Amino acid sequence: MLRPVLTRLLISLMACLLPALAPAATLADEDGYDLWLRYIPLEQPLADTYRPQATALVTYGDSPTLKAASDELHRGLKGLLGQTPASTLTDGAIVIGTIAQAPIPTLNITLPDNPEAYAIRKVTLNGKSVTLITGHSDQGVLYGAFAYLKTLQTGARLTDVTDAPRVKLRVLNHWDNLDGFVERGYSGASIWDWWRLPDLKDPRYTDYARANASIGINGTVLNNVNSKADSLTLPYLHKAAAVADILRPYGIKVYLSARFSAPIELGGLPTSDPLDPAVQKWWQDKTAEIYAIIPDFGGFLVKANSEGQPGPQDFGRTHADGANMLAAALKSHGGIVMWRAFVYSHDNPADRAKQAYDEFVPLDGTFADNVLVQVKNGAIDFQPREPFHPLFGAMPKTPLMMEFQITKEYLGFATHIAYMGEYFEETLRADTGHGKIGAATVAHVLDGSLHGYTLTGIAGVANIGTDRNWSGSDFEQANWYAFGRLAWNPHDSARAIAADWAKLTFSRDDRFVTPVTDLLMSSRETVADYMTPLGLHHLMGTSHHYGPAPWINDLPQPEWNPVYYHKADRDGIGFDRTQTGSDALSQYAPRAAAKWANPKTTDERYLLWFHHLSWDHKTRSGRPLWDELALTYTRGTSKVTDMRRTWDSLRPFVDARRHQAVAQNLKIQETEAVWWRDASLAYFRSVSHRPLPAGAPEPAHSLEHYQSLRFPYAPGDPGR
Ligand code: BDP
């Protein structure tokens, strides 16, 4: 009696384990180059995988963009289904073409009123049952083709789909210098080989365009916001034009960062005063020159009067004067200006978090209609956690666009796993308090619905470089992917996007997808816990921003010093931004400010951002603040250990090469998390003079040891 039971138990145990272990042996090594466009055969042993027939592919119309769509479908279908589709209209065929292209109008498909919209429909055409992918424009068709392939890749059942982007400009910002160095880049050199352009036709540029189009990105700024005027000289414009030619079929426009002092540096003028007619003429001529070479040039991104960059204030003019002068030059060509609001100044004693709002809100309504003001997600600087920037919602007459940082300057570079999709979502869903509850989030500002902006945009600082896997690590690709998806629809779900990415990048198996999605969704919080818990911010090492340095207090500009931000002393810690302190809180609408006014009601993840509190302050757990701080650091490190364990358990689902690459990074992340915890606690203990609570381990080294560490060769550091 016992035997059959045992045998059955054994069999069911084997049944559970075997499939889990089976894939490993058969998975070929991958190097990450194919990103989420791997198109590996669908015959994975997934019972519910839907296998469409796509025996033929018929394209109505003829354009480089339709050709790109058709090439992608060919590539995808060949990879996924193992068959090259024929080109005759048969049952099961895929048909692509714009809605106006004969014979598609006969099908009476309706599309949203958006030039980039697409639809996928099962229809009967000429008596054949086909899948139609259509849009108002070729670009819409291309987006539909990628959407169709994604459905196949994720093993989802194909249903009718209609979709359109909620934001117009979905733009990558490359912080790439003309010499190939990428500021805050952790994935090799710049992919823009300025030296060999314009002759170089690197196939990588086409793959870059494919990857971006697949997630809806439709613009790219090729050069660093800390720009050189040289990028506006004729030879460099020809180089930019060569890139634009390759990206154009994929619906991606090229933009350039413009140096405000270019009329002086290139034009030999004595000034770059935006109200000077000679300066205006210089920009008009320059702009005309650009459009003669790049007819669909997108426009300029400008960092002005920020961190030493030239700008209109050098001549007593405002940001609006500067932006409008460039906007006027671009206007007749259809170009736009993205004017950055990342400004703060060493001679302004106001809390750095307040300065952008103070400068820009009075200018609301004075910007030309082809200007967007580009605002970072938070008021300081891409920290592991920041409350949303108070400018969102506060400039109803000026289109504000978002600037997210995809590259992880402040979150462990490319080595640490921190899924930015979850971070972006936190910002996008934040209630600005400037309208009806539920209709006044940051996403509602960006999609134009809150204030009726017709020009809308989202930018992300790229994490792309020459590394074979593009982003410096396999998991960094998730951040590029999530950025594109959320720029397309800022109301989308970061969790759903993470799950899609995991399926596309590694495995469709639920036993992989669920734990990896969970890991991704908690990963950014983990980083915030071991780097800047409870609302602390800007505690990173000087210039390179690698590792902890909360003790730094000797840099010339007050706000460059971490001590400026944490204000820890024997009595307490935190930045008082309430009425008793800098009153930055008053820049938020009352509904948003109310949540943060009182430490008792403040979400503790923002506690020390807004409040300076005694070490004895009783936190929600009942523990005094000092103990809570120490234990949050410690929790962060143990969560990294959990991530390592999870990843180890997923070995059967990932090829050995990528599994090992991720595992190695996680090991580094664990070591660096412990370093962050130990160095930070060693320092804060020296200030608070309190013993570490039970559960927080003694730092491995002395404070002096941590303070002595130097990193002259840290990547991405413009100061090295
Ligand atoms: C900071 C970066 C610096 C950038 C600056 C910016 O450290 O490299 O130039 O932002 O956004 O976070 O302009």
Side-chain angles (χ1 to χ4, degrees):
M1 199 54 204
L2 203 58
R3 254 211 196 148
V5 175
L6 273 181
T7 317
R8 269 208 305 278
L9 263 177
L10 207 64
I11 291 173
S12 45
L13 195 69
M14 296 287 281
C16 289
L17 287 178
L18 271 181
L21 298 172
T26 56
L27 294 174
D29 273 351
E30 294 185 45
D31 60 14
Y33 183 83
D34 291 334
L35 297 160
W36 46 87
L37 300 173
R38 289 158 62 243
Y39 305 137
I40 52 156
L42 270 183
E43 67 265 0
Q44 301 293 341
L46 284 180
D48 61 348
T49 295
Y50 163 72
R51 280 188 69 92
Q53 328 166 334
T55 48
L57 173 63
V58 179
T59 306
Y60 290 110
D62 177 24
S63 74
T65 300
L66 284 177
K67 178 161 185 322
S70 140
D71 285 353
E72 195 68 29
L73 285 165
H74 266 278
R75 179 198 292 251
L77 295 173
K78 184 152 185 289
L80 290 160
L81 305 178
Q83 67 198 37
T84 305
S87 53
T88 43
L89 193 69
T90 50
D91 278 327
I94 298 169
V95 170
I96 65 171
T98 63
I99 198 145
Q101 174 73 47
I104 297 169
T106 57
L107 297 168
N108 288 323
I109 307 286
T110 47
L111 280 171
D113 181 19
N114 180 321
E116 295 176 297
Y118 68 83
I120 305 175
R121 294 274 188 284
K122 289 268 177 216
V123 293
T124 304
L125 189 64
N126 295 348
K128 308 287 180 210
S129 163
V130 303
T131 301
L132 172 73
I133 303 174
T134 190
H136 291 297
S137 62
D138 294 343
Q139 198 173 328
V141 176
L142 178 68
Y143 291 145
F146 277 114
Y148 175 83
L149 287 167
K150 184 179 116 213
T151 309
L152 256 53
Q153 286 171 281
T154 53
R157 193 159 285 276
L158 195 68
T159 49
D160 282 358
V161 184
T162 307
D163 201 6
R166 306 273 285 261
V167 171
K168 261 189 193 159
L169 308 174
R170 308 175 296 276
V171 185
L172 285 179
N173 290 184
H174 286 264
W175 283 1
D176 296 16
N177 292 348
L178 301 181
D179 64 1
F181 174 80
V182 181
E183 182 157 337
R184 312 310 177 182
Y186 313 104
S187 52
S190 170
I191 59 169
W192 312 124
D193 187 341
W194 295 107
W195 188 249
R196 288 195 290 159
L197 282 164
D199 295 325
L200 176 75
K201 305 273 181 274
D202 192 337
R204 196 175 180 119
Y205 297 165
T206 307
D207 290 332
Y208 167 91
R210 290 175 49 233
N212 280 314
S214 77
I215 49 176
I217 288 169
N218 65 2
T220 182
V221 184
L222 300 180
N223 61 324
N224 193 352
V225 287
N226 297 318
S227 63
K228 294 271 188 225
D230 300 305
S231 61
L232 298 174
T233 58
L234 199 54
Y236 279 95
L237 293 177
H238 280 296
K239 293 167 193 280
V243 174
D245 288 344
I246 298 175
L247 306 189
R248 186 170 298 111
Y250 292 87
I252 300 168
K253 279 189 182 180
V254 155
Y255 299 75
L256 290 173
S257 290
R259 186 163 169 84
F260 202 77
S261 53
I264 303 174
E265 293 170 43
L266 302 180
L269 298 182
T271 175
S272 56
D273 179 351
L275 300 194
D276 185 309
V279 171
Q280 295 171 351
K281 173 147 191 337
W282 188 87
W283 281 109
Q284 278 155 15
D285 293 347
K286 180 52 72 184
T287 307
E289 184 181 48
I290 296 175
Y291 278 93
I293 304 171
I294 312 174
D296 56 352
F297 178 64
F300 295 129
L301 170 64
V302 187
K303 172 174 178 178
N305 294 119
S306 163
E307 299 185 327
Q309 295 298 314
Q313 294 177 341
D314 303 345
F315 311 96
R317 313 299 183 192
T318 68
H319 285 289
D321 292 331
N324 292 346
M325 183 260 305
L326 293 175
L330 289 158
K331 177 86 180 168
S332 65
H333 306 282
I336 55 112
V337 175
M338 297 172 283
W339 190 270
R340 295 176 90 226
F342 176 67
V343 296
Y344 63 94
S345 149
H346 63 284
D347 49 20
N348 183 347
D351 174 2
R352 171 173 165 188
K354 292 178 74 175
Q355 296 184 23
Y357 181 103
D358 287 346
E359 280 200 48
F360 277 85
V361 167
L363 299 175
D364 190 25
T366 64
F367 287 94
D369 62 3
N370 56 336
V371 175
L372 298 105
V373 171
Q374 181 168 309
V375 182
K376 287 189 181 182
N377 59 281
I380 296 289
D381 201 351
F382 298 140
Q383 294 304 295
R385 162 163 282 114
E386 290 198 39
F388 71 90
H389 202 302
L391 275 173
F392 290 112
M395 294 185 65
K397 296 188 213 116
T398 311
L400 299 187
M401 68 187 285
M402 172 62 78
E403 179 173 330
F404 283 130
Q405 194 178 42
I406 309 169
T407 187
K408 300 205 323 297
E409 174 182 357
Y410 298 98
L411 290 101
F413 298 0
T415 340
H416 297 207
I417 295 181
Y419 173 52
M420 299 302 282
E422 179 271 335
Y423 187 174
F424 301 159
E425 177 184 70
E426 179 174 287
T427 306
L428 293 167
R429 294 197 175 172
D431 174 29
T432 66
H434 284 282
K436 282 210 188 99
I437 293 186
T441 64
V442 172
H444 292 105
V445 176
L446 299 174
D447 71 14
S449 61
L450 182 61
H451 300 307
Y453 306 153
T454 47
L455 194 55
T456 54
I458 299 192
V461 181
N463 64 351
I464 298 162
T466 48
D467 276 6
R468 182 70 191 159
N469 64 21
W470 299 87
S471 301
S473 69
D474 294 289
F475 269 72
E476 267 313 288
Q477 299 174 355
N479 296 331
W480 177 8
Y481 182 80
F483 167 75
R485 292 276 306 269
L486 287 166
W488 176 277
N489 178 6
H491 304 274
D492 207 342
S493 142
R495 172 172 283 277
I497 293 170
D500 278 350
W501 176 79
K503 288 181 199 165
L504 298 168
T505 307
F506 291 109
S507 165
R508 285 184 288 268
D509 195 313
D510 279 345
R511 293 165 301 176
F512 176 83
V513 175
T514 306
V516 166
T517 305
D518 290 343
L519 181 153
L520 283 167
M521 287 303 287
S522 60
S523 59
R524 192 273 307 215
E525 191 76 59
T526 298
V527 173
D529 280 353
Y530 63 72
M531 282 190 185
T532 51
L534 303 178
L536 289 176
H537 47 288
H538 227 307
L539 308 182
M540 293 78 190
T542 304
S543 185
H544 50 63
H545 299 153
Y546 172 66
W551 46 80
I552 300 281
N553 64 0
D554 57 357
L555 300 173
Q557 272 187 230
E559 69 282 353
W560 285 353
N561 293 289
V563 297
Y564 170 93
Y565 298 97
H566 63 67
K567 305 205 185 308
D569 59 17
R570 187 179 265 276
D571 301 324
I573 183 169
F575 200 125
D576 183 2
R577 293 195 163 100
T578 68
Q579 269 178 358
T580 52
S582 80
D583 202 20
L585 200 53
S586 66
Q587 294 183 334
Y588 288 96
R591 193 167 75 225
K595 294 186 297 203
W596 295 320
N598 181 336
K600 289 274 166 252
T601 57
T602 303
D603 177 341
E604 284 185 347
R605 297 173 308 172
Y606 297 111
L607 193 61
L608 303 175
W609 186 283
F610 288 111
H611 303 283
H612 183 85
L613 299 169
S614 144
W615 293 114
D616 292 319
H617 168 85
K618 195 168 160 198
T619 61
R620 233 160 264 164
S621 64
R623 285 187 281 267
L625 177 59
W626 165 250
D627 291 11
E628 188 66 18
L629 184 75
L631 293 175
T632 310
Y633 271 113
T634 308
R635 182 178 68 207
T637 56
S638 54
K639 286 200 299 193
V640 182
T641 306
D642 293 345
M643 280 159 80
R644 282 191 71 191
R645 273 200 210 107
T646 303
W647 185 250
D648 278 347
S649 75
L650 297 172
R651 194 183 302 271
F653 301 98
V654 182
D655 58 279
R657 178 172 171 165
R658 288 190 301 163
H659 190 274
Q660 198 203 4
V662 173
Q664 276 179 5
N665 277 342
L666 278 166
K667 172 107 183 48
I668 295 172
Q669 181 170 4
E670 188 179 49
T671 306
E672 293 184 353
V674 168
W675 167 37
W676 264 97
R677 178 198 67 200
D678 286 0
S680 306
L681 288 178
Y683 168 70
F684 287 126
R685 178 171 62 180
S686 78
V687 179
S688 74
H689 299 280
R690 283 166 195 248
L692 290 171
E698 181 61 23
H701 302 280
S702 67
L703 174 58
E704 293 67 34
H705 165 79
Y706 295 116
Q707 289 174 323
S708 72
L709 301 176
R710 296 285 176 271
F711 305 97
Y713 307 111
D717 178 7
R720 71 181 187 182

